[in-house]
Amino acid sequence: MSPSALSVRQNLLAGLTTAFALVPEAMAFALVAHLNPLMGLYGAAIIAALTAAFGGRPGMISGAAGSMAVVIVALVVQHGSEYFLLTVLLGGLIQFLFGVLRLGKLVRMIPHPVMLGFVNGLAIVIAGSQLEHLHAPGGGWLTGNALYLMLALALVAMLVVYLLPRLTRVVPSALASIVIVSLIVHLFGLPTRAVGDIASIKGGLPLLHWPQVPLTLDTLKIVFPYALVMAMVGLLETLLTLNLVDEITATEGQPNRECMALGAANVVSGLFGGMGGCAMIGQTMINLTSGGRTRLSGITAGVLVMCFVLFLSPLIERIPLAALFGVMLVVAQKTFAWGSVPLLRRLPLSDALTIVAVTVITVLANLATAVLCGVLISAIAFAWKHADRLSVNREDLPNGGRRYLLRGTVYFAATSRLMAMFDVENDPVYVELDCSGAHLEDHSAVEAIEALRRRYAQQGKQLHVTRLNDACETLLMRVGGAEASSGTGGHA
């Protein structure tokens, strides 16, 4: 078989495996959001196919995601599904605009500890979400033989995923796992829950449908906050997953293109009665480990989900939940960055704290809050450490004056340290501040220099700032000069 034919086969099989994993997840997330499960399936099919076809990260799988379902539960409960569909449309437009403005590159500013916390948190969320399969149909947890059978079948599924690659890689191990467990259940007539026990997936083609809500300012006030949160959560999860796929595949995706494709896909999904979505790290890992590296795998997954709804619902509804339970537990195990655990003891305290905080907040709250907190912790730690690098050397001049040689960056976090470095009372009348090795970064730096000048002036002394680079001199002249005109400072 030629390399190109082998690649096509691998990606088609990877897409089939991923489609199997998308179905129960999409249905479950729709039920979480108090929506018809078909809305989740339509969203999964449309978003997976369109983002794969037009996005900027081949190999990544997007679909109706739980992170976005959670943020709109209150909206659906209070206002209904029509308001939800308008929210999906508006959220998609925000995401598309984000990409048009080329803001996707901002993800490159997210520190690596935040990425590790994101991966670990989502791995725990993936594993935790699978516990739903251990719930009994009438409520409560499975017990007795039903529980033991579910766990035994899940263990078989996991063993197949782990062991089959040692024998052959012709068939993706996750796909083989689902098929083998399904055959065992069918041949032995084992009484275990299947996909159809969640809800029926039988349906027709989605129809174009404009949300039936009044287009008024009051409606916008209702849906816009949800649309903004949904858009930001979707963008964050997508861009962070894109970064992860970049690392795994040693290739570089196009974040702005992915943002535009995701936004357009959500608009189309909303117009055809589907849920909103974003990148799904669990399904992406299934796709990658199954050999999916091109657009074909994602397109295949989306098309097959729609085919399941239209033509194959009786077959798909018979897939045991235990098979998907086992496969997703392996995905969670492989997603978790186990190397980060022993690394915590060797990392700087701020980095270790960032990893733990993002992991915990992702599990307990949501991804957007976790990433925001992680970036904030990293930024504060960076500012604190960088401020400590500011230094000054003093030397006496032949004319009886004194020169301070400043080294480092002067900015808001370093101004207190800068002020403490000068001995205003004991310095001579003439003092020179040599900034050849320093950089004034912001208004706080300029104000600190001006405050030093005022202190020396109050003592009847002069502070002369010398050897500024052009950018710093322009900043000091512009901001310091403006303050001087109001009597608070002087020119450089």
Side-chain angles (χ1 to χ4, degrees):
M1 185 179 293
S2 66
S4 59
L6 181 61
S7 175
V8 169
R9 185 181 64 79
Q10 283 181 338
N11 281 277
L12 286 173
L13 289 175
L16 174 60
T17 309
T18 305
F20 284 144
L22 278 171
V23 169
E25 297 288 303
M27 295 169 68
F29 295 148
L31 291 172
V32 166
H34 299 273
L35 297 168
N36 187 322
L38 281 176
M39 295 180 71
L41 294 171
Y42 289 151
I46 292 169
I47 294 170
L50 290 182
T51 53
F54 303 107
R57 180 59 272 177
M60 188 167 73
I61 302 296
S62 296
S67 57
M68 297 184 71
V70 171
V71 300
I72 49 83
V73 173
L75 174 69
V76 176
V77 170
Q78 294 175 17
H79 301 283
S81 61
E82 294 296 321
Y83 277 82
F84 163 71
L85 292 177
L86 183 62
T87 302
V88 174
L89 285 173
L90 184 55
L93 289 174
I94 293 172
Q95 292 171 335
F96 186 84
L97 183 62
F98 194 90
V100 169
L101 296 176
R102 306 188 67 79
L103 298 176
K105 60 186 179 183
L106 293 177
V107 74
R108 306 298 184 190
M109 299 176 63
I110 295 178
H112 191 64
V114 175
M115 278 293 300
L116 288 176
F118 156 76
V119 169
N120 292 347
L122 282 190
I124 296 172
V125 170
I126 290 170
S129 67
Q130 302 311 303
L131 297 179
E132 286 292 325
H133 298 321
L134 299 180
H135 284 161
W141 296 92
L142 292 175
T143 57
N145 292 335
L147 175 61
Y148 301 143
L149 180 59
M150 173 69 80
L151 295 178
L153 291 173
L155 180 60
V156 171
M158 295 174 69
L159 289 174
V160 172
V161 175
Y162 282 123
L163 299 178
L164 185 63
R166 299 183 182 181
L167 303 175
T168 179
R169 294 185 179 272
V170 174
V171 179
S173 59
L175 176 59
S177 174
I178 294 170
V179 171
I180 290 173
V181 173
S182 299
L183 288 174
I184 291 174
V185 171
H186 176 69
L187 293 175
F188 292 95
L190 300 177
T192 187
R193 298 184 69 205
V195 170
D197 293 324
I198 299 177
S200 174
I201 70 169
K202 183 176 178 57
L205 280 171
L207 301 176
L208 184 63
H209 172 78
W210 181 260
Q212 299 302 299
V213 298
L215 298 180
T216 63
L217 185 59
D218 288 337
T219 299
L220 182 63
K221 289 180 180 178
I222 292 172
V223 302
F224 182 76
Y226 289 100
L228 183 61
V229 173
M230 178 183 286
M232 292 300 104
V233 170
L235 287 169
L236 275 173
E237 188 159 352
T238 296
L239 292 174
L240 288 171
T241 304
L242 183 145
N243 261 7
L244 179 63
V245 178
D246 283 355
E247 292 182 10
I248 293 173
T249 62
T251 58
E252 186 172 350
Q254 299 170 272
N256 293 313
R257 179 174 173 177
E258 187 65 34
C259 293
M260 289 189 285
L262 178 65
N266 274 305
V267 169
V268 174
S269 179
L271 287 174
F272 282 89
M275 282 182 63
C278 62
M280 304 177 73
I281 190 170
Q283 282 67 20
T284 297
M285 293 298 293
I286 288 177
N287 184 54
L288 294 176
T289 55
S290 299
R293 289 293 189 275
T294 69
R295 299 184 187 278
L296 180 60
S297 61
I299 295 173
T300 300
V303 171
L304 284 178
V305 170
M306 188 61 69
C307 289
F308 294 163
V309 173
L310 298 176
F311 311 114
L312 300 173
S313 57
L315 180 62
I316 302 305
E317 288 175 2
R318 296 175 65 181
I319 294 177
L321 289 175
L324 300 169
F325 179 31
V327 169
M328 294 306 293
L329 286 180
V330 175
V331 169
Q333 181 270 318
K334 291 185 176 181
T335 300
F336 194 91
W338 295 100
S340 64
V341 177
L343 190 63
L344 290 175
R345 293 181 295 178
R346 303 195 300 271
L347 286 174
L349 178 61
S350 60
D351 287 345
L353 178 62
T354 299
I355 294 173
V356 173
V358 174
T359 300
V360 172
I361 297 172
T362 298
V363 174
L364 299 181
N366 59 68
L367 176 64
T369 303
V371 172
L372 179 62
C373 291
V375 171
L376 187 61
I377 293 171
S378 297
I380 292 174
F382 174 81
W384 186 273
K385 291 178 182 178
H386 211 60
D388 285 342
R389 295 175 183 173
L390 189 68
S391 63
V392 68
N393 293 324
R394 289 191 293 184
E395 60 181 33
D396 293 328
L397 300 174
N399 62 2
R402 178 169 292 168
R403 175 184 294 142
Y404 286 84
L405 290 91
L406 192 60
R407 297 287 183 270
T409 302
V410 186
Y411 63 110
F412 66 92
T415 54
S416 297
R417 182 176 177 85
L418 174 69
M419 303 294 284
M421 291 176 173
F422 290 80
D423 188 2
V424 178
E425 292 185 0
N426 298 317
D427 277 342
V429 174
Y430 178 87
V431 179
E432 179 182 323
L433 176 57
D434 186 335
C435 293
S436 58
H439 182 77
L440 307 184
E441 187 63 40
D442 56 12
H443 183 207
S444 297
V446 174
E447 176 55 31
I449 298 296
E450 296 300 328
L452 278 173
R453 279 193 174 132
R454 291 194 293 272
R455 288 188 183 183
Y456 278 103
Q458 289 171 359
Q459 297 286 334
K461 302 172 183 179
Q462 290 184 323
L463 175 66
H464 296 268
V465 182
T466 64
R467 303 182 70 183
L468 281 165
N469 60 44
D470 292 341
C472 294
E473 186 169 359
T474 300
L475 177 65
L476 189 61
M477 289 287 290
R478 185 172 68 246
V479 181
E483 292 177 346
S485 64
S486 61
T488 59
H491 290 282

